Amino acid sequence: MIELKNVTASYGTRIILDNISLKIEQNKTVALCGKNGSGKSTLLSLIDGIIPAGLKVSGEVLVDGQNIFSANRKEAAKLVSYLVQNEKPVWNFSVRQFVETGLYSHERTSKIKTDNKINEVLSRVGILDFSEKKIFNISGGEFQKSRIARCLIQQSKNLLFDEPSESLDAAFEIELLKMLKSISDKEGKTVVFSTHDVNSALRFADDVLVLDRGNIIEKTPASIIEEGCKVFEKAFDAKISLCYPAEASPGAGKPVVVFD
């Protein structure tokens, strides 16, 4: 479980998170929505125990009952896997070597067991065939898949993904969100992903957290649609022309939200 207790985060006089308290239960898939600069990345970073430079923070962040700010990075890696935005590769590892770095918090084991773990996540994300390619020589989408595989191999109970569909084609984006939902449902893990796509949030999340001017509004997808998606209109400062529930949406049978 992830719990925030009276968390305030600010850069000088600019408040990013304003006295936030919330609980994210285990075995839940939660979407984090809000416009650019609303604090999505900041919130995910704090849950991972990382305080960005210049950010003043008060309050507590507990992950599985442990204060994440007091955990060292190896301990934190056992609690949380975190896919950050805009990572740039530093070392020209092979894809396999890059993914293996996600095991740094684990005890050493045999090469056969390690290879089996790596092969499992590479296959799951669909990149086993180019696992020997160098990171500098792969596409942006392939690098994103490699990063996702590195998160999965950590085997943490809490998975954080900041814009996980970045650089991915539309088909794999849906496949990825289905996979994350399955991981939460079948493996008992907590999954939190940020997204600008409110339709993906409504389709794949159990709960939606909407960041709006330092505050968090927690809703279920059903309640958001029932209320005419007003929470999205306010948070994004935009008018919504269509807000269909899944059973009423034309053709696809999935939630449909259209901004003007």
Side-chain angles (χ1 to χ4, degrees):
M1 183 177 73
I2 297 168
E3 185 174 6
L4 277 70
K5 295 183 176 181
N6 305 113
V7 173
T8 294
S10 61
Y11 289 105
T13 59
R14 181 182 170 227
I15 295 176
I16 308 299
L17 303 173
D18 190 4
N19 198 32
I20 299 299
S21 293
L22 67 91
K23 290 182 180 180
I24 301 175
E25 301 291 341
Q26 188 177 334
N27 200 33
K28 290 284 189 179
T29 301
V30 176
L32 189 57
C33 297
K35 62 183 180 180
N36 290 336
S38 61
K40 300 187 297 298
S41 296
T42 299
L43 177 61
L44 292 175
S45 179
L46 294 180
I47 294 173
D48 189 47
I50 298 172
I51 300 177
L55 187 72
K56 183 179 179 181
V57 179
S58 62
E60 286 186 292
V61 178
L62 305 178
V63 180
D64 297 338
Q66 183 170 344
N67 187 325
I68 196 67
F69 296 138
S70 65
N72 63 43
R73 293 318 302 161
K74 196 168 184 178
E75 291 171 337
K78 293 177 181 178
L79 295 169
V80 180
S81 298
Y82 178 31
L83 182 86
V84 302
Q85 277 197 66
N86 304 320
E87 179 182 359
K88 302 296 182 185
V90 177
W91 305 103
N92 196 19
F93 290 139
S94 69
V95 169
R96 174 176 292 276
Q97 290 170 325
F98 177 80
V99 171
E100 187 176 356
T101 62
L103 290 171
Y104 82 96
S105 64
H106 292 251
E107 298 296 328
R108 288 186 177 273
T109 186
S110 70
K111 187 176 185 307
I112 292 175
K113 288 183 178 180
T114 298
D115 285 344
N116 287 340
K117 286 180 182 179
I118 296 170
N119 288 340
E120 181 184 348
V121 297
L122 291 172
S123 297
R124 194 170 196 175
V125 183
I127 57 176
L128 182 61
D129 288 346
F130 61 84
S131 62
E132 300 305 325
K133 280 187 178 181
K134 295 294 186 179
I135 288 290
F136 289 176
N137 299 330
I138 61 178
S139 70
E142 290 169 336
F143 182 54
Q144 186 75 342
K145 291 179 182 180
S146 301
R147 297 174 65 227
I148 291 165
R150 185 184 58 184
C151 280
L152 296 181
I153 206 169
Q154 279 185 235
Q155 300 171 20
S156 309
K157 287 173 62 178
N158 304 280
L159 306 176
L160 311 178
F161 295 90
D162 198 354
E163 297 289 345
S165 60
E166 181 184 16
S167 300
L168 298 178
D169 60 67
F172 187 77
E173 176 184 356
I174 298 301
E175 184 181 339
L176 169 64
L177 293 174
K178 286 180 178 178
M179 179 177 68
L180 297 182
K181 178 67 173 145
S182 176
I183 287 171
S184 176
D185 291 344
K186 296 179 181 179
E187 299 179 25
K189 298 193 176 188
T190 302
V191 174
V192 183
F193 68 96
S194 68
T195 181
H196 290 289
D197 184 355
V198 297
N199 287 292
S200 290
L202 294 175
R203 180 178 175 186
F204 293 104
D206 299 308
D207 294 302
V208 180
L209 300 178
V210 183
L211 273 73
D212 182 20
R213 298 164 181 85
N215 299 307
I216 288 185
I217 301 96
E218 185 174 4
K219 298 277 188 179
T220 64
S223 67
I224 288 174
I225 292 172
E226 184 179 335
E227 295 165 3
C229 299
K230 297 299 183 185
V231 68
F232 289 148
E233 282 194 328
K234 182 175 180 293
F236 288 97
D237 293 319
K239 185 171 176 57
I240 289 175
S241 59
L242 293 175
C243 183
Y244 285 109
E247 61 271 17
S249 62
K254 303 176 182 67
V256 175
V257 177
V258 179
F259 287 92
D260 274 349

